[in-house]
Amino acid sequence: MRSIWRTLQQSLDKGLARDIALVCLADGVVGLSYGAISVGGGLDLWVPVLLSVVVFAGASQFLFVGIVAAGGSPIAATIAGLLVNSRHVAFGLAVSDVIGAGWKRLPGSHLMTDENVAFALGQDELKRKRAAYWICGIGIFICWNLGVLAGGQIGSVITDTDVFGLDAAFPAVLLALVLPSLRDKSTRTAAVAGVVVALAVTPFLPAGLPVLLALVGLVFYRTEQSPKKLPEAKVVV
Amino acid sequence: MSNPGLVLIGVLVLAVGTFSLRIAGPLLRTRFELPARMEKVMAAAAVVLLAALVATAALTDGHGAAGIARPAGVLVGGVLALRKVPFILVVVAAAATAAGLRLVGVR
C-alpha cells in the first residue's frame, strides 16, 4: 500500500492535486445537502450514513432516500438505485487498467464514482490517470461521508438546500471534469447524440434508464477520426 | 419511515448490487484481452454516460424540466470551465447563479 501511495505522490503535480482537492470539497458539500435532505425528510440518521459508506454512489443514494422518505417501498428504492448504478459496468470496463490488478480491484471498484472516472479519462498518461483515479476516489470517500454525517446533524435546520444552488453544483462539477474528454471530435458527436436521446426519453422512463439509453449515441463513434489512431493502427493489425 | 428492517435490507442489497456492477468491468477485462479499438469504444462509452448524466441532472427533475435556475447555473459553470477558470470558481459560480436567480424569484 505504501509503495502505491509513493508512486501516486510522485505523479501528482500541484495543479492536479489542487483540482482533486476541490472536487472532493465540492462533493463534501453535496454530501452535506444529501444528509440534510434525508434527515429533514424524516429518515433516521443511520439510513443516509450507512448508504454513504456501503453504497457510496450519490445519485442512487438521493433516489433511495427520496423514495423511502416519501413513504415508497424500500424494494422499489433498491431497484431504482441499482438501475441508476448500472452505468458503473461501462465505467469499470473503461478504467480497469487504471484501477490495477489483483486485490486493488476490490477497494478500487468501491471507490468508482462519476467524478474520479471522468477525472482519470481526462488525463493523458496512465500514471496520471492512476493518481487522479485513486487519490480522487479516496478523497471523495472521506469528504462525502464526513459531509453526509455533518448534513445529517443539521438536517432539521436546513429544509431547502436548493436555496443555496447546490443542485447546480453537482452537474457543474461533472461537466468540468468531462470537458477534456470531449475534445475528441468523434467522442463529442457520440456524447451529443447520447444526450439528445437521454433527454428525449426522460419524461417516459424511470430514473437511470435515460442515461443508459444514451449509449445509443455510440453509433456515431468512429475510432478512425481520432487523431491518436495512426501509430496505434500498426499494433492492431 | 417505513419498516426499518426492510430499509436496512434494501440498503444492503443496493450495496452488494452496486459493488457487483462496479467490479464487473475489472473482472471481465482480466479474463479477456480487448483489442485497442474496443478500449477506445469503452472510454467513449463512459464519456457518453457521463455527458448524459450531466445533461439529465442539469435539465431535468424527475420526469419534467428542471426550471431555469439550475440549468443557468450549470451553463455558467460550463462556460467558465471551458475558459479554464480555476475549478473552485466553476463550482461557486454555478451554485451562486442558481441561488441568485431563485433569490429574485426565478425558479
Side-chain angles (χ1 to χ4, degrees), chain A residues 43 54-56 78 85 90 93 96 105-106 109-110 112 114 162-163 165 167 172 175 202-203 205 211 214 223 226 232, chain B residues 1 8 10 14-15 18-19 22-23 29-30 36-37 40 47-49 52-53 55 63 70 78 87-88 94-95 99 102:
Chain A
L43 294 178
V54 299
V55 177
F56 185 53
T78 304
N85 288 341
L93 288 169
S96 170
R105 286 177 302 190
L106 294 172
S109 296
H110 190 58
M112 188 185 294
D114 303 313
D162 280 5
V163 170
D167 56 323
L175 178 58
T202 294
L205 296 178
V211 168
T223 40
S226 165
E232 212 169 315
Chain B
M1 193 169 91
L8 177 62
L14 180 57
T18 300
F19 183 76
R22 279 178 169 143
I23 205 162
R29 286 285 300 270
T30 42
R37 197 174 162 276
K40 288 191 161 188
V47 173
V48 169
L49 287 172
L53 201 62
H63 294 293
R70 193 197 302 165
F87 202 81
I88 188 75
R102 283 175 185 138

Side-chain angles (χ1 to χ4, degrees), chain A residues 20-130:
Chain A
I20 289 175
L22 291 171
V23 172
C24 296
L25 192 70
D27 271 25
V29 176
V30 177
L32 197 82
S33 76
Y34 156 78
I37 286 171
S38 307
V39 173
L43 294 178
D44 292 339
L45 182 61
W46 66 265
V47 180
V49 170
L50 184 64
L51 276 167
S52 292
V53 176
V54 299
V55 177
F56 185 53
S60 68
Q61 289 177 232
F62 269 107
L63 197 58
F64 188 96
V65 298
I67 292 173
V68 173
S73 149
I75 300 169
T78 304
I79 294 171
L82 286 174
L83 195 56
V84 169
N85 288 341
S86 49
R87 67 180 184 282
H88 286 92
V89 176
F91 290 163
L93 288 169
V95 297
S96 170
D97 291 347
V98 177
I99 291 176
W103 64 269
K104 276 180 278 182
R105 286 177 302 190
L106 294 172
S109 296
H110 190 58
L111 292 174
M112 188 185 294
T113 63
D114 303 313
E115 288 88 339
N116 66 341
V117 168
F119 224 127
L121 291 175
Q123 308 300 317
D124 303 323
E125 321 153 33
L126 186 61
K127 255 171 74 179
R128 283 176 64 93
K129 284 177 190 276
R130 282 219 166 114

